[in-house]
Amino acid sequence: MADFSRVLKIDGRPREPAPLRDKLTPVVRETVQDRVYQQLRQALIYGLFDPGEVLIIQDLAVSMQTSTMPVRDALSRLISEQALEALPNRSVRVPVIDPKRLDDLLKARIVIEGAALELATHRITDEEIEALHPLIGHYDEALANRSDYPIEEELDLNKSFHFRIYQHSGSDVLFPIIESLWLQSGPYVRAAVLKFDPKSEISALHYHREILAALKARDAEAAKRALASDISRAFDLLRDTPLTDSEPAPPTKRRYRRKT
């Protein structure tokens, strides 16, 4: 019978058994891939890429100061999450503004986010509700002074408002689904924000205040109605947007800013 009690040695020094070494993977390579993926993921959530835009791997790699391999891997992951789509010519693009896709995302967000909001209604405290009011104040200031604030400020405040509430749902299942839906709808939401006219249309602030009032009253149905109106408002702004041609436009050189 083989003696497994002996430790393998090289040059008289003990060596770890091979099975343990085989379980280890290069840390640096995985870290780079993960960072590239997270950065592209955030860029999509904040709509830094336009609907229908073709992404150029080499340009992305140069912008993020990395090789093309982690960029390719990140794009593949985002394609599998339906945040991007692969084209027959092997290029990758942000999905176009399509009525069917808009309706699918709208319905899914209302159902999934509504479920998280309903759970949060019965778990969030009055103090935690009050802590959300400063976000509305900052959002109001950014909306009123658009020339002084980057559009990302509005998008970030809107996302923070919703996600802080969803975190109180206590659901480990719903939260990643919501993140995936925001990832897919990010370019559309940004396009809607750019089309929004604060002087003639109801802003998200109106519905955010309704949501907080409903949470305070522990009225889950009222909170869900306000949420549905808030989400629908953004998608409705894109109903009359000219659709992007099904054939991708020729790639254009574009430098992508690193998000800090």
Side-chain angles (χ1 to χ4, degrees), residues 129-156:
I129 294 173
E130 288 300 318
L132 291 167
H133 282 284
L135 286 177
I136 293 181
H138 295 323
Y139 193 118
D140 194 13
E141 183 180 352
L143 188 63
N145 301 277
R146 275 193 162 183
S147 58
D148 300 325
Y149 287 86
I151 197 69
E152 288 79 18
E153 186 77 11
E154 287 183 45
L155 296 168
D156 189 45

Side-chain angles (χ1 to χ4, degrees), residues 26-78:
V27 175
V28 174
R29 182 171 183 271
E30 284 192 350
T31 300
V32 171
Q33 287 178 326
D34 187 60
R35 288 179 178 175
V36 170
Y37 166 75
Q38 290 297 337
Q39 191 171 150
L40 290 176
R41 194 172 187 273
Q42 288 299 308
L44 285 164
I45 288 177
Y46 286 104
L48 298 184
F49 303 118
D50 299 324
E53 180 176 349
V54 176
L55 303 185
I56 303 171
I57 293 176
Q58 187 62 44
D59 281 0
L60 292 171
V62 170
S63 177
M64 290 183 281
Q65 299 179 16
T66 185
S67 65
T68 58
M69 184 58 69
V71 175
R72 291 181 187 276
D73 290 343
L75 294 180
S76 295
R77 291 176 66 181
L78 292 166

Side-chain angles (χ1 to χ4, degrees), residues 3-115:
D3 184 3
F4 293 103
S5 63
R6 292 183 302 170
V7 177
L8 298 175
K9 295 184 177 181
I10 298 179
D11 296 332
R13 292 174 297 180
R15 186 187 73 177
E16 290 289 346
L20 177 60
R21 294 200 321 277
D22 292 343
K23 295 178 182 178
L24 302 177
T25 56
V27 175
V28 174
R29 182 171 183 271
E30 284 192 350
T31 300
V32 171
Q33 287 178 326
D34 187 60
R35 288 179 178 175
V36 170
Y37 166 75
Q38 290 297 337
Q39 191 171 150
L40 290 176
R41 194 172 187 273
Q42 288 299 308
L44 285 164
I45 288 177
Y46 286 104
L48 298 184
F49 303 118
D50 299 324
E53 180 176 349
V54 176
L55 303 185
I56 303 171
I57 293 176
Q58 187 62 44
D59 281 0
L60 292 171
V62 170
S63 177
M64 290 183 281
Q65 299 179 16
T66 185
S67 65
T68 58
M69 184 58 69
V71 175
R72 291 181 187 276
D73 290 343
L75 294 180
S76 295
R77 291 176 66 181
L78 292 166
I79 289 172
S80 69
E81 295 180 74
Q82 301 184 53
L84 298 173
E85 59 183 5
L87 299 173
N89 60 0
R90 300 182 67 181
S91 60
V92 177
R93 75 172 175 184
V94 180
V96 299
I97 296 178
D98 173 81
K100 182 178 183 300
R101 183 175 175 85
L102 283 177
D103 288 339
D104 284 346
L105 282 171
L106 173 61
K107 293 174 183 176
R109 284 192 56 183
I110 289 175
V111 171
I112 300 300
E113 293 179 46

Side-chain angles (χ1 to χ4, degrees), residues 230-241:
D230 184 23
I231 298 174
S232 300
R233 176 193 61 88
F235 282 79
D236 287 344
L237 286 169
L238 299 176
R239 298 295 179 188
D240 58 350
T241 299

